[in-house]
Each structure stands twice: as structure tokens, then as C-alpha cells.
């Protein structure tokens, strides 16, 4: 097994400005990791193979958290399938190849629970990967992430690269994307209800029927899992990260509206796609390693809403 990180290891957090990457940076700094390597897309575009190669050649990276990705909700996936497939494939291929070429000790790839079949048995075990058809509304992103998993496994098998892959459930928290075109459901609801409240609206519209069930994980809880697994886990098999608790989108909408303080009527547009009926992860594997989530959903939404209020001028439509 590869030895875990030490405090002066040179640690690259790719995607450090995003929701998950920024949470990983906070958690690493809280543990006094002193050699964090952080670069924005304008400094190193991970989709550019030559730029990635030059960067790794210069930086002598020890460990990589690969949290960089092109992400979004149902609408963004539907409108930009090329971006979701091509960007994510390029990022994964360029970074993992560079990790091998330049002797990185360990790389951790962040996947997504959307990699699993649309009608997978619940809760979803890691071995259900590739056991059935994907959900069509996000298959482009899912295929890219599945390819990244298999690429990591292939580099381990052929070259001995220490590469691990985490599959988190729906992640939310401070630093989320609140743009209504590209956001996921929870931040979209926060913004919708806030704007409806500010406008004094009597009702607001939510996409879908409200019946699908979803699981939500705070980014700070995920960051704790990421660091634990980087320190102690070294296996080719993927590992789920979730709360093992879910609720319907309608229940989520009621909870979010309560936190925000919107008192009007919530209507559902059933003509819009629902996506996978249910997506609850089996997290027995990571729990056996000592990790459990600590942030409850209401507390997490309250924290997220406070962050949104403090940052909404620069986050609405600009992420």
C-alpha cells in the first residue's frame, strides 16, 4: 500500500475553486498541509494535454485530488452534451496520464452516483456499475466518469499507478453553483425560493413531479472522506460516499422553502424530466473504514443559504 500523505507533501487540488475542491482545500489547511498546489483554469487548462504535461513537469506533484470537472444539472446536460462528455474525458485522460508519467504517488478521482444504472437496486452497491442502462438525462457526464474510473483502473493494472475513485452522492454546500441554467437541484431551489420571497411571489415552479428520491451530502463531509481515503485507502475498486438517507424532491422543496422563508405555493411542472426515480448509495464500505457524515441536511441548507446571501451578487449566473 502507498504510504499516506504527510504535512509537507506537495498536494495538487485540481478544481480548487469549485464546490468540492474548495472544501478539500479547507479540510487540508485545517490539518496544516503546507504545500498545496492550486491553479485556476486560466493558469492551467486541464483540457489541454500540453499545458498539463508542462505543469506536472515543473511542479513535482506528490498527490492529486482530481475534483475538476464540467458539471451541471438536467438542463445543462441536455443543452451541452458535447461539453459534458468531451471536457471531462480530456481532464481525466490528461491528468491521469501525467500522474503516471511524472511519478505521482497517488491520485484520487471524484466520480458521481450518476454512473450507476437508472433502475439499479436500492441502496446502490459499488458492484452495480455497468449492470444496466444509464439515466438518459445525464448519460454524457456518466459515460465520461465511467471512462475515468476505468482509465484509473487500467493505469493501476498496467503500470502500478496508485489511483482510487470515489463516487459521491449529490453534493451541496457553500461555494455551490446557483446559476439556474447549470446548477443542481438543491442550489437551484435555494435561489428560486429566495427570489420568489424577495419578489413577494405567491407561488414558484419546480421542475418535475417532485416524486424522485435523492440523497444529499454536504461538501465538507465529502472532503473529510476524500482526505481519509487518500491517507488509508489504496484499491482499484470504487467506493461510495453518501449519507444513506434520502427524501423526495417535494420534501426537499418544502424543507428548502422553510429555511429560506418562502411562504407561497410550490407547484410542480410534471412535463419536465424527473431523472432517475431513486438514487440512494450503499456506503457500508467507507463506513467500515471509520467515516460517517456529521452535517444534517437542514443545518447544511441553512449554512448554504447564508453563504448564498453573502455571495449572491457574484454567484448568480457567473459560475
Amino acid at each position: 500500500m502507498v504510504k499516506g500523505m504527510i504535512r509537507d507533501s506537495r498536494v495538487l487540488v485540481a478544481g480548487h475553486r469549485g464546490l468540492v475542491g474548495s472544501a478539500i482545500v479547507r479540510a487540508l489547511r485545517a490539518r496544516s498541509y503546507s504545500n498545496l498546489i492550486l491553479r485556476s483554469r486560466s493558469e492551467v487548462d486541464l483540457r489541454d494535454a500540453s499545458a498539463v504535461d508542462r505543469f506536472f513537469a515543473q511542479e513535482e506533484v506528490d498527490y492529486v485530488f482530481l475534483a475538476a470537472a464540467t458539471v451541471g444539472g438536467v438542463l445543462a446536460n441536455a443543452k451541452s452534451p458535447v461539453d459534458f462528455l468531451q471536457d471531462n474525458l480530456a481532464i481525466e485522460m490528461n491528468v491521469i496520464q501525467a500522474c503516471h508519467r511524472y511519478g505521482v504517488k497517488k491520485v484520487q478521482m471524484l466520480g458521481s452516483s450518476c454512473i450507476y444504472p437508472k433502475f439499479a437496486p436500492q441502496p446502490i452497491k459499488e458492484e452495480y456499475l455497468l449492470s444496466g442502462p444509464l439515466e438518459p438525462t445525464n448519460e454524457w457526464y456518466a459515460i465520461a466518469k465511467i471512462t475515468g474510473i476505468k482509465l484509473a483502473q487500467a493505469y493501476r493494472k498496467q503500470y502500478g499507478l496508485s489511483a482510487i475513485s470515489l463516487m459521491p452522492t449529490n453534493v451541496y454546500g457553500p461555494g455551490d453553483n446557483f446559476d439556474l441554467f447549470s446548477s443542481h437541484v438543491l442550489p437551484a431551489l435555494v435561489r428560486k425560493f429566495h427570489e420568489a420571497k424577495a419578489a413577494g411571489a405567491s407561488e414558484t415552479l419546480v421542475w418535475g413531479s417532485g416524486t424522485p428520491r435523492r440523497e444529499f451530502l454536504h461538501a465538507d463531509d465529502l472532503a473529510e472522506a476524500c482526505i481519509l481515503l487518500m491517507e488509508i485507502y489504496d484499491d482499484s475498486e470504487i467506493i461510495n460516499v453518501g449519507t444513506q438517507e434520502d427524501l423526495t424532491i417535494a420534501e426537499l422543496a418544502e424543507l428548502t422553502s422553510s429555511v429560506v422563508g418562502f411562504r407561497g405555493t410550490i407547484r410542480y411542472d410534471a412535463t419536465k424530466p424527473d431523472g432517475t426515480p431513486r438514487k440512494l448509495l450503499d456506503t457500508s464500505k467507507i463506513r467500515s473504514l471509520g467515516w460517517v457524515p456529521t452535517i444534517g441536511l437542514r443545518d447544511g441548507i441553512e449554512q448554504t443559504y447564508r453563504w448564498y446571501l453573502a455571495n449572491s451578487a457574484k454567484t448568480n449566473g457567473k459560475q
Side-chain angles (χ1 to χ4, degrees):
M1 175 179 286
V2 173
K3 292 182 179 179
M5 298 182 297
I6 57 175
R7 295 300 182 266
D8 62 352
S9 295
R10 292 181 58 76
V11 181
L12 170 63
V13 182
H16 74 283
R17 289 183 172 180
L19 171 63
V20 176
S22 61
I24 293 172
V25 170
R26 288 194 298 272
L28 287 169
R29 285 176 171 162
R31 289 168 168 79
S32 300
Y33 281 90
S34 57
N35 278 328
L36 301 187
I37 303 169
L38 310 174
R39 298 290 186 275
S40 66
R41 177 177 287 188
S42 63
E43 293 172 303
V44 182
D45 188 340
L46 298 180
R47 300 169 299 178
D48 182 336
S50 296
V52 172
D53 191 78
R54 288 193 301 271
F55 170 72
F56 273 82
Q58 295 167 359
E59 291 295 337
E60 298 182 355
V61 178
D62 292 321
Y63 295 88
V64 175
F65 291 90
L66 181 48
T70 294
V71 299
V74 172
L75 179 59
N77 271 268
K79 296 292 186 180
S80 306
V82 171
D83 296 341
F84 279 82
L85 184 57
Q86 188 166 279
D87 286 4
N88 288 302
L89 286 174
I91 291 168
E92 294 159 356
M93 292 179 69
N94 293 339
V95 172
I96 293 173
Q97 182 181 54
C99 287
H100 161 62
R101 181 175 296 157
Y102 293 101
V104 168
K105 295 176 182 177
K106 193 172 187 179
V107 55
Q108 177 183 114
M109 199 196 84
L110 272 293
S112 167
S113 59
C114 74
I115 64 165
Y116 292 113
K118 179 174 182 175
F119 298 110
Q122 306 289 315
I124 304 171
K125 298 180 183 294
E126 287 89 351
E127 57 262 34
Y128 297 163
L129 178 63
L130 297 177
S131 63
L134 299 168
E135 160 56 42
T137 59
N138 59 19
E139 64 178 338
W140 320 104
Y141 181 72
I143 288 171
K145 286 299 180 181
I146 291 169
T147 303
I149 292 166
K150 292 301 177 183
L151 186 64
Q153 291 173 339
Y155 266 92
R156 176 184 286 270
K157 182 175 182 178
Q158 186 168 340
Y159 297 114
L161 177 66
S162 178
I164 63 173
S165 299
L166 281 63
M167 300 304 118
T169 190
N170 302 284
V171 184
Y172 74 99
D176 214 333
N177 172 19
F178 295 86
D179 172 44
L180 295 180
F181 171 76
S182 60
S183 64
H184 290 101
V185 60
L186 196 154
L189 290 175
V190 167
R191 181 173 174 181
K192 275 178 175 281
F193 291 134
H194 173 75
E195 292 183 347
K197 173 187 172 182
S202 61
E203 65 177 31
T204 192
L205 188 66
V206 174
W207 267 36
S209 66
T211 59
R213 301 187 68 86
R214 291 293 183 270
E215 175 185 19
F216 295 91
L217 176 67
H218 195 283
D220 289 339
D221 276 334
L222 174 56
E224 293 296 320
C226 290
I227 295 173
L228 173 69
L229 294 174
M230 185 66 99
E231 290 175 339
I232 71 169
Y233 185 74
D234 189 31
D235 195 286
S236 65
E237 296 306 312
I238 62 177
I239 186 164
N240 289 338
V241 188
T243 63
Q244 289 193 171
E245 297 178 359
D246 64 358
L247 72 171
T248 67
I249 296 300
E251 290 169 336
L252 176 68
E254 293 289 345
L255 176 58
T256 306
S257 66
S258 172
V259 168
V260 171
F262 173 69
R263 306 303 179 200
T265 301
I266 302 171
R267 293 197 300 112
Y268 296 90
D269 183 357
T271 66
K272 297 296 192 293
D274 273 336
T276 302
R278 191 182 189 195
K279 196 166 57 172
L280 179 67
L281 296 182
D282 184 316
T283 57
S284 303
K285 194 171 179 179
I286 190 170
R287 286 171 184 263
S288 72
L289 298 175
W291 175 88
V292 291
T294 62
I295 302 171
L297 184 55
R298 186 180 186 94
D299 288 344
I301 295 174
E302 289 174 350
Q303 187 186 113
T304 302
Y305 184 45
R306 287 194 298 270
W307 188 93
Y308 173 77
L309 291 175
N311 295 273
S312 58
K314 62 184 178 183
T315 58
N316 286 348
K318 296 182 181 181
Q319 293 194 11

